[in-house]
Each structure stands twice: as structure tokens, then as C-alpha cells.
Amino acid sequence: MNDFYSLKLLDRMEGLIRRTGVDYRTLRLILQTKLTMDGRRTPTVMAANRKDTEASSGSPLRVHWIYLLFGLVLIPFVVVKGSYIFTMGLTFGLLMFLISTTLISDFSAVMLDLREKNILHTKPIDKRTLNMAKSIHILLYLMSLTLTIAGPSLLVSLFSQGVVFFLLYGAGIILLDCFILVFTALCYLVILRLFDGEKLKDIINYVQIVLTVGLTVGYQFVSRLVSFSLLDTSFTPDWWYYAIPPVWFAAPFEWFVGGNGNAATTALTLLALAVPLLLLAAYIRLMPMFERSLQKLAAEEAGGRDNGVLARRLSAFFCQNRQEATFFRFTWSMMKNERDFKLRTYPTVGLSMALPFIFILNIAQGSGGVSSLKSSPGYLAIYGTALLMMTVVQMLRYSVSYKGAWIYKALPLQPGALISRGVLKAAVLRLLLPVFAVEAVIFTVLFGPRIIPELGTALLALLLYSVICWRIFPQALPFAEKYEQASRKEFTGISFLLLFIMFGFGLLHYLSTRIPAGIVIYSVILAAANVWGWRSAFGNKTLQGERAAGAGV
Amino acid sequence: MNLGEEPVIEISGLWMNYSDRMVLRGIDLAVYRGQIIGYIGPNGAGKSTTVKIMLGLVEGYNGTVRIFGKDIKSGDATYKGRIGYVPEVAEMYDSLTAREYLTFIGELYGLPHEAAEAKARRLMALLDMERVYDKRIASYSKGMKQKVLLVSSMLHDPDILFLDEPLSGLDANSVMVVKEILATLAAKGKTIFYSSHIMDVVEKISSRIILLDGGELMADGTFAELQERSTEGTLESIFNRLTGFDQYRDIAGEFVAAVMDGEAG
């Protein structure tokens, strides 16, 4: 086991940690083991006999490139002088958004982990140490994530704004991290207390989705600050400013750097300081209760009673081949039942539902009211739902019960094409189409019935896009790999490419509306491409076990 | 202190319910040094719940559980340092190698790093696991994982062992070795709490058999004592009778009929 840099940093704080009554030696040992494990990939069933040496790459503490990119975007905000409540509010808003969504989707599993019960809680370690180890484990990731995002702008701020700004920013980031972590944990605690068994797990799921969507929409509010604070040099906030945490964290800048010390900035600054600390105190107090309640998650489940009529009808209608239909139904029920899948996918479902409206909102604001929508091409925002397919296709390969994938090898199955098509069809019908349908209805109301034919065109494009997603991501058998944060990062490049393709489709659509009969031609081409895509994109490609598993490892 | 007289484990009036149903209904039990307890009962009888309560994994029970003479409700975890546990599900940090995992566990039990490593290696070598000692546990077969679990439960020379199906996946030779290990440990004064569904083994190695059904103790005694109380010859048939199960032939017959019935299944 290697010695981690982060642990050496932790050693500096040994005295402080010891003072809280924690057994530091054990704490360090647990953390060291966990970090070692995080850096490894559990080999999938198919890849079990691969060499061990190559698999030790991929520490989650490696730089997250995409976040670094976001971090660079933040730099201009810390260079600008004046109206700090706006620039820093925006900065903290973006930070909060990125950090919380990542925390919810990727570290919820760590927070709600039950595996360690059997292994760690049976050892002579007191609860305080165990809880501390868990918190620090999450905190380490949170810090590395935060540093990646905020690091560049933090560094720049030292030179562009001076030491006071730099220190305020640093402290603000730490408080923000505490705030996010504790707030999320407390949300979970409330749910754990209120609900039981199956319902509990479902509710957690929904809360995660709601939180993610809420953050997205909430972030829009922060950017609304523009119109207020740029006009007004003597900052006087509306009441709802107090409900937006990023504004709290921005207030001290207005106060100490901008020199606008008044009752409002003082109050907001106090909020920024007091709320995270109070929550932290409450969290430490409530942590044992959290752990106790966690046990509820282990309670036995009563199976669902769904008899699968819908899946059977749909599969009979959309799949000609028997094996394809089987995999359609299999995927259908896995997507329905596996919470892990929902946890990772549904926030994106929510996001892809919200995103088009955010686009539209911005258009409406820019060009004066909802009435102007009727003639605008804003409905093309419906291409935003493509985001959903990108995530789903990526996630379909993962499962908590990935070990069950031995059946692919043991059963007399035809090569991959039929499996893939059944799986993808199920994903499209279960997730893409409902979301699309809801959006289409709302868009029709907003933009008028003129867009209905064009929505049909967009649907064709999205269907084609689904196939493209499937082709571009490394091929894999469904639900056959263990989800690990590290492995997912390798798809960042592909995701970007797919994002561009999504914009490409939207752009083509827009251009085709500019030329006469263009949209008809575009639709015909799309229809033909769909027929070809769904027929042959899967055709000649076999999913050999080794290759499929190897692709994700 | 003479442990021979004081019970190592003392459970009295233990009740436990999970949200809607009672899992344990007033268990009273005293276990002494050197006993091998065969802890048996049908699925869902409450066996693992009892063990989990004793390990402090499950809270919210009624009644008292005293281990080494101390009430475990006090929250002091030090008693766990004298307990070894092999859970039913082979849950381990399987992305670690056996060396890493066992050293980690040994250290958690308070052994110094080098001592833990050396002892783990020695024990593993004795179980013929030296070859894979530095390979990831994830790549092990079921039996190999079981050996790691067994070693991890004994590294710290515990006074009580809780074993849940400890022989599962082991080959015949390893089974003999492990059975012998358990008998020898008991002879040296260790207490072993052995849950299993394999009645032949329980019958042979246990010095005392406890049968749990529906959260209640149905029988408690040596195998000979249980035999005296009933007409059946084997523990399996005693088990069947005490749990009120007698239609195994009918069920088996119907099952085979369904298997061979082509499409009907």
C-alpha cells in the first residue's frame, strides 16, 4: 500500500484530530486502505484473469480535466474589480453547483455504504473513529475536487486582487465545502429517520433527483443578480438574497474588498460563517444517529409485484427477434429496479428536462417576454434531451450486481448485435421517449402548433443520436461492470465529442429551416439514416466478452 | 477471574423487532469457555440477528447481552478485540490483496504492522494459500475467499469465534483441517459459535446444539440429549421435526415433475 500525499497532509493535523478523542493510528490506517482501494479497479467478471499490474492506475485523486476547464472559466470573475456581490456570487454559485451535483451522484454511495458495517464495525474501533474516517474520506475527495475547480482562480486572485481577497476566497471555499457536505448528509438523515425500507430507498432517489434539478434552476437565480447589482453601486439586497447561499459567501468580498460595509453585507457575511459551522456542529452531534439509521437500508426487501405486461407488449411490438425482445425486457426491468442506475441516471433525466427551459428562459429574457417565443427557433432547445441518451448509454454498462454478468458467457446467446439493439430500444422507450413527449407538449404550448412537424424531425434526430451514442462509447455488455468513479472519467473525451454532435444536429436542423423545403429533406435523410443505423450499426459488431469488458477497464 | 465458571456470553430476555415483525422473542442463553455451539435453525429464524447483536452491528434490541461479563450496550467497543467473525456473505475489500487485507485487519485488531503481516502469511501458508498471497482477493475462488475470512477472524487470537457457514466453498481436505482447528481451539478454552445449515457437520463438531425457530429457542443441549428426547436418529431429522417440516418428499417429487415437464415450468 502506498503512502498518500493527502495522508501526509493529514498527519500535520494529528494533534488536532487526537484531541477530538479519535484513535489517529486506526483512522489513518482505514483511510490509507480506502484510498488504496479507490485507486484500483475491481476487475469485471470477464476480465478476472487479466494481469494485476496494469489495474492500479486511475486514482480518483488524479486531476479531473473537465473540472479544471470549469476552473479556468472562473478566472475572469476574480479579475474583475467592483460589484463583488455579483462576480463572487456567480463564482460561488458555480462552485456550489458543480460540487454538490458531483457529491450527490458520486459520493452518496460512500455516505450510504453498508459494506463496511461487516468489516469495520466488528472490529474493536470506537464509533467516533469510524465516523471520522468516513467523513475525512469524503472530505478528501471533496477538497481535491474543489481545488481542481477553484484552484486556478484562487491562484490568479492572489495576484489580481491581493492577499485579503485571496484569504477570503480560500476561507469561503472551505466553508462552502463544509456547508455542502453537511447539508447533503443532513438531508439524508431526515429521510432515513422518516421513512422505512423500500420507500426509504426510493425517496433517497427522488431527493437526489430533486436536489440536482433544484441546483440547476437555483443557479439560474444567481445569474439573475446581474440586472440588480450592476445598476446599483450601494448594494441593497432583496429579501430572497438571504435564501441563496452563494450570496452569503460573496458578501464578505463586498464588505472587505469592495468597501461596502453595511447592515446587509454584515448580515450575509455572518450567515456565511455561522450556517456552515452550526450545521457542522449539528452533524457531528447527529452522526451516530445517521449510522444507526443506515442499518435500515439493509432491511430485507419485499419484491415488487410488477408482472411486466407493458414491457412484454412493447418488446413484442418493437423487437422482431426473440433474443432481442428478451434483452429488451431484461433492460427494462433492470432500469426500473436498480436504484444505483436510477441514482446515476435520473438526475440527468431531470437535468435534460430542465435544460431546454433554461435555454428558453434566457431567450425570453433577452428578447422581451414569452410572446416573442412564438416566432423564435428556441424550440430547438429540445435537442438538449439528447444529453439524456449520452448518460444512459454510458451508464447501461454498470451495475451493482455486475457479477451476475457470467450469464452472458454461460448461456447459449447469439452474438452481440441482438443484445445491443434490445438494450438500446428499451432505454429509448423507457427514458428518452417519455421525457421527449413531456417536453414536446410543453413546447407546443409555448411555441404554438407550428413546431409539431419539426418536433417530429427532432425526434428522428434523437433516435439516430441514440445509435451514435451506442456506437461511439466503447462497446460493453449491459450491467456487466462495476461502477467506479475513476473508470467513468475516461469517457470525458467521448462525452465532449457527443456534445458537439448534439449541437451539430441542432445546427443542421436550424440551417434546414432557413432554406425552402430544407426541413423535409433533412427529415427524409434522418429517416433513412435511422433505418440504416438501427439495422446495421449493431449488425457486424460482436460483443466478445474480453473486448467488451476490456473496453471499460 | 475464573472464566470456566462465568459465562463468556450471557443473553437474557433478548427481544428484537424489525419495523413490522418480531425477529427474536425472548432468548435466554449462557455460553461457557471451550464450548462449540452449533447454532441452527431455518432461514429467517433469527440466527444472524443474534450474532449481529452480539457484534454490536444491530442496535435497538430489548434485553441484556453480556460478553466477557460486560454489558455491550455501554458502547465500549474494546470487547470486539477478543472476538473473531466470519460473516455469511464473504464481504471483504476484495480489491486488496490477501496480504494487504489481512495486515489491515490485523492492525485494526491492534497488532503491529509487521506482526500482523508475518502472522497472516504464516496462517495463509498453512492453508496452502502462499501462492496467491499477493494477488487480489477479487480473483480468488469461493473457497480461497473463505480461507481469507477464516484467517482474518483468527489473526488476533480471539476468545470467541462467530462463524457463519465457515466451511462453505472449502474443498474436502480443507474442511478436515478447519474442523480440526476448531476442535483444538475449543479444547484450548476458546468459545465457538457455529451457525450452519449443514446438519452432519453441526452434529459432529458441536459440543452443544441450539435450535432457533421463529425467534425462539426450540432446543438446547448436546446431540445425545437431543436424541434422547426424540425418536429420530440424525440431527437433520430432529431439525425437521422440531421445525414442523415433514413434506420434503412430496415437494421434491413435485419439483422434479415440474422440471421434466418441458414448457409448463
Side-chain angles (χ1 to χ4, degrees), chain A residues 25 33 37 40 118 121, chain B residues 80 91 93 95 100 104 107:
Chain A
R25 197 189 79 103
T33 308
M37 287 189 295
R40 290 184 187 166
N118 269 337
H121 288 238
Chain B
K80 293 180 191 172
E91 256 175 357
Y93 290 143
S95 52
E100 290 166 337
F104 172 61
E107 282 187 86

Side-chain angles (χ1 to χ4, degrees), chain A residues 88-263:
Chain A
M88 290 318 286
L90 216 58
T91 309
F92 278 110
L94 186 64
L95 279 176
M96 193 171 162
F97 170 68
L98 289 172
I99 295 170
S100 337
T101 42
T102 314
L103 184 77
I104 293 167
S105 64
D106 289 344
F107 298 124
S108 289
V110 181
M111 266 194 221
L112 304 172
D113 185 18
L114 278 169
R115 182 170 68 152
E116 51 175 56
K117 275 247 157 186
N118 269 337
I119 300 173
L120 296 181
H121 288 238
T122 53
K123 306 298 176 286
I125 314 165
D126 63 290
K127 295 233 161 75
R128 198 186 291 262
T129 308
L130 283 173
N131 292 339
M132 186 66 105
K134 195 174 189 174
S135 306
I136 293 183
H137 184 213
I138 298 173
L139 214 61
L140 280 179
Y141 283 113
L142 206 56
M143 286 289 174
S144 84
L145 181 70
T146 317
L147 269 186
T148 322
I149 305 175
S153 51
L154 188 66
L155 210 65
V156 170
S157 77
L158 179 62
F159 299 105
S160 68
Q161 303 273 13
V163 179
V164 178
F165 189 100
F166 174 77
L167 290 177
L168 278 179
Y169 193 21
I173 290 167
I174 293 171
L175 283 172
L176 185 76
D177 268 357
C178 284
F179 177 73
I180 293 171
L181 177 63
V182 174
F183 184 77
T184 317
L186 290 178
C187 277
Y188 284 140
L189 178 64
V190 172
I191 307 162
L192 282 169
R193 298 298 297 172
L194 288 179
F195 298 96
D196 264 319
E198 281 301 279
K199 200 176 223 160
L200 170 67
K201 293 172 195 165
D202 286 335
I203 299 270
I204 288 185
N205 235 209
Y206 298 137
V207 167
Q208 285 163 338
I209 297 160
V210 168
L211 272 181
T212 311
V213 178
L215 280 164
T216 318
V217 178
Y219 179 61
Q220 295 304 308
F221 264 96
V222 180
S223 57
R224 291 291 103 80
L225 285 170
V226 192
S227 42
F228 300 101
S229 46
L230 280 186
L231 300 172
D232 205 351
T233 40
S234 65
F235 166 72
T236 44
D238 284 311
W239 61 270
W240 53 268
Y241 276 45
Y242 293 98
I244 303 174
V247 180
W248 309 342
F249 293 102
F253 294 91
E254 191 71 32
W255 184 5
F256 294 109
V257 185
N260 279 329
N262 57 26

